[in-house]
Amino acid sequence: MKDQGRLLKGKEGEDLAVKYLKRAGFRIVERNFRCRQGEIDIIAKDGNTLVFLEVKTRTSASYGNPEAAVDHAKQKKISLVSLQYLQSKNIVDFPVRYDVVAVEMSSAGHHIQLIKDAFDLIW
């Protein structure tokens, strides 16, 4: 049951992130792209840049701030998945960026922070 609640909060956080990104002018290209290497939460266009976005949602500060969960290992996994995405869509020579959306939810409401250029491609 605990995992189910966590998954629901994650989905709710992603939904909030999509609304936030749309208001900020992003065009959502795809959600939850999955391949053998893993998953990317949101792929969007910000102007002429293709952006791979990782959404991290927290309901308490017990585990630290949401963006801290996107550590080196997670960045490497997202990088590998993004390369798979680019290859599968035949996208070459196109500017890309890696952002993190930190969503903090509480009974008082929610706070969303977009961290642009959160990290670079990791091989």
Side-chain angles (χ1 to χ4, degrees):
M1 281 308 258
K2 194 180 247 187
D3 276 349
Q4 184 72 16
R6 186 177 59 82
L7 290 173
L8 288 173
K9 286 291 181 198
K11 167 104 172 68
E12 188 178 348
E14 283 183 24
D15 291 343
L16 288 168
V18 165
K19 288 178 189 171
Y20 176 89
L21 292 167
K22 285 180 176 178
R23 281 194 307 270
F26 285 67
R27 187 173 64 78
I28 306 304
V29 174
E30 194 161 339
R31 287 183 68 174
N32 305 113
F33 172 79
R34 288 180 177 84
C35 66
R36 194 168 40 92
Q37 288 83 6
E39 176 186 3
I40 291 181
D41 296 326
I42 302 169
I43 301 169
K45 280 198 173 175
D46 182 18
N48 292 327
T49 302
L50 189 63
V51 186
F52 297 97
L53 295 117
E54 175 69 11
V55 180
K56 284 298 175 189
T57 304
R58 292 286 185 262
T59 55
S60 77
S62 310
Y63 296 103
N65 60 8
E67 61 273 19
V70 187
D71 59 10
H72 182 79
K74 185 68 174 174
Q75 292 172 16
K76 186 170 184 173
K77 182 174 258 195
I78 293 167
S79 293
L80 290 171
V81 177
S82 72
L83 291 173
Q84 182 64 39
Y85 176 84
L86 293 169
Q87 182 181 15
S88 72
K89 304 292 183 184
N90 270 341
I91 299 172
V92 293
D93 201 26
F94 201 85
V96 299
R97 190 175 75 219
Y98 299 90
D99 294 357
V100 172
V101 181
V103 180
E104 296 179 63
M105 298 169 53
S106 70
S107 56
H110 60 270
H111 173 74
I112 300 173
Q113 179 184 7
L114 172 63
I115 303 152
K116 289 187 174 183
D117 280 318
F119 60 93
D120 293 319
L121 177 70
I122 298 173
W123 295 92

